[in-house]
């Protein structure tokens, strides 16, 4: 690692060093020495150079855009202070770039996991995209949309009919005498019949919609099943990939990345 270390100049005083490594997930202001190292790296990148043969222009060419860089303040056994620099993922399809800290995973172990899972995930993604853009799914959605529109029109027409009949009954009821019990009963029966007709319409509409929507539900369930399978494959692959990251401390003890964060 010493060959990858960029030594600070001038060297800081011993009492200027941080007392402990802060949480990388915390929101505290970076230590002044770390900030100085980060600003130095930024200045290098502004010159258009990441490493010999690697210009910053390649960052703009990446489909997702950008790249995460990081620095780590270090102290050598002889008390010299410097920093290491690293980048996330690959750079120009390379894991290792001169002057930058290499990955901490076992490259061969990762090769045993990642390609096979990538093939499965890409295959499932292609099948999902094909189904999502298929004529069958478009037709199924269109059938449900058309049914809903027709149903809404029929519901509105029925509501107008019932409103007209209600106004007519109100007029007729106002003209009835208190003694005309039969006339009042007839109007009450007509009112109840409208309620029965409305409830029957809604029940029939729900039943018919279930039949019309059945093909869409089947296709959406298939899409959902493929999405869940893809997610499980990705999660399992990520767990296996994380287990290829073996971190070694200054005493020579190694442990996996997931073990460090267990049980999270």
């Amino acid at each position: 690692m010493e060959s990858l270390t960029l030594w600070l100049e001038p060297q800081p005083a011993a009492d200027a060093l941080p007392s402990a490594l802060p949480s990388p997930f915390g929101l505290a202001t970076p230590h002044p020495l770390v900030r100085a190292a980060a600003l130095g790296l930024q200045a290098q990148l502004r010159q258009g150079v990441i490493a010999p043969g690697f210009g910053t222009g390649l960052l703009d060419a990446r489909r997702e855009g950008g790249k995460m860089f990081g620095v780590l303040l270090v102290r050598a056994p002889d008390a010299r202070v410097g920093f290491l620099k690293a980048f996330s993922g690959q750079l120009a399809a390379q894991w290792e770039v001169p002057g930058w800290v290499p990955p901490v995973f076992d490259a061969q172990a990762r090769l045993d996991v990642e390609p096979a899972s990538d093939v499965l995930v890409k295959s499932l993604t292609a099948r999902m995209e094909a189904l999502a853009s298929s004529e069958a799914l478009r037709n199924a959605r269109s059938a449900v949309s058309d049914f809903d529109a027709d149903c809404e029109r029929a519901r509105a027409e029925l509501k107008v009919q019932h409103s007209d009949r209600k106004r007519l009954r109100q007029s007729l009821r106002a003209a009835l005498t208190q003694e005309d019990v039969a006339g009042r009963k007839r109007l009450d029966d007509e009112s109840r019949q409208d309620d029965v007709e409305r409830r029957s319409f809604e029940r029939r509409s729900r039943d018919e919609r279930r039949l019309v929507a059945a093909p869409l539900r089947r296709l959406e369930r298939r899409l959902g099943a493929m999405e869940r399978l893809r997610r499980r494959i990705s999660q399992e692959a990520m767990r296996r990939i994380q287990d290829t990251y073996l971190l070694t401390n200054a005493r020579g003890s190694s442990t996996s990345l997931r073990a460090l964060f267990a049980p999270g």
Side-chain angles (χ1 to χ4, degrees):
M1 279 297 176
E2 185 163 335
S3 63
L4 300 176
T5 305
L6 300 172
W7 304 108
L8 296 182
E9 292 297 342
Q11 284 285 296
D15 58 2
L17 298 177
S19 59
L21 178 68
S23 168
F25 307 111
L27 299 178
T29 302
H31 188 276
L33 293 178
V34 176
R35 180 174 177 81
L39 291 174
L41 177 55
Q42 289 178 20
Q44 172 195 330
L45 295 174
R46 288 194 187 97
Q47 294 175 9
V49 178
I50 301 174
F54 295 84
T56 53
L58 65 87
L59 301 178
D60 298 326
R62 298 175 72 245
R63 182 178 60 184
E64 63 272 26
K67 170 63 67 175
M68 182 170 66
F69 296 97
V71 295
L72 177 67
L73 196 69
V74 295
R75 184 172 59 187
D78 62 6
R80 286 182 301 161
V81 177
F83 67 93
L84 300 171
K85 57 184 182 178
F87 54 84
S88 65
Q90 291 182 309
L91 197 62
Q94 301 294 318
W95 290 113
E96 299 193 29
V97 172
W100 295 78
V101 175
V104 294
F105 58 76
D106 183 321
Q108 185 55 54
R110 183 169 180 140
L111 280 174
D112 293 339
V113 174
E114 195 167 27
S117 61
D118 277 352
V119 169
L120 285 174
V121 168
K122 288 177 181 177
S123 173
L124 280 169
T125 300
R127 289 170 59 191
M128 290 171 61
E129 290 174 349
L131 180 55
S133 61
S134 68
E135 184 177 0
L137 187 60
R138 285 197 304 272
N139 291 342
R141 285 174 173 163
S142 179
V144 172
S145 178
D146 291 345
F147 177 85
D148 287 344
D150 292 342
C151 189
E152 190 57 36
R153 282 192 294 269
R155 182 180 290 108
E157 292 172 1
L158 186 62
K159 185 176 181 179
V160 170
Q161 294 174 16
H162 287 174
S163 295
D164 291 345
R165 292 205 287 258
K166 182 177 181 179
R167 283 193 296 270
L168 178 59
R169 285 194 299 273
Q170 289 173 338
S171 298
L172 294 173
R173 187 175 281 110
L176 292 176
T177 63
Q178 289 293 333
E179 292 76 16
D180 192 350
V181 176
R184 292 182 181 281
K185 182 178 183 304
R186 184 182 65 256
L187 293 176
D188 290 343
D189 289 343
E190 289 177 1
S191 178
R192 283 191 291 271
Q193 184 58 39
D194 282 355
D195 287 339
V196 170
E197 186 179 26
R198 177 181 54 79
R199 289 194 297 271
S200 176
F201 170 83
E202 295 298 342
R203 183 171 57 253
R204 186 172 62 253
S205 296
R206 287 194 299 270
D207 293 343
E208 292 177 0
R209 193 183 190 281
R210 277 196 291 269
L211 293 175
V212 172
L216 178 59
R217 287 197 300 272
R218 286 194 294 271
L219 292 170
E220 288 181 337
R221 281 198 299 268
R222 190 184 306 169
L223 268 176
M226 286 192 287
E227 171 59 29
R228 289 190 295 274
L229 178 59
R230 183 177 66 172
R231 185 164 56 248
R232 284 198 296 270
I233 291 172
S234 297
Q235 289 171 344
E236 177 58 27
M238 182 56 64
R239 283 193 290 270
R240 295 178 63 189
I241 287 173
Q242 287 171 348
D243 283 339
T244 69
Y245 283 71
L246 296 176
L247 305 177
T248 303
N249 65 14
R251 298 183 178 89
S253 300
S254 297
T255 190
S256 69
L257 180 67
R258 282 207 299 133
L260 286 174
F261 287 88

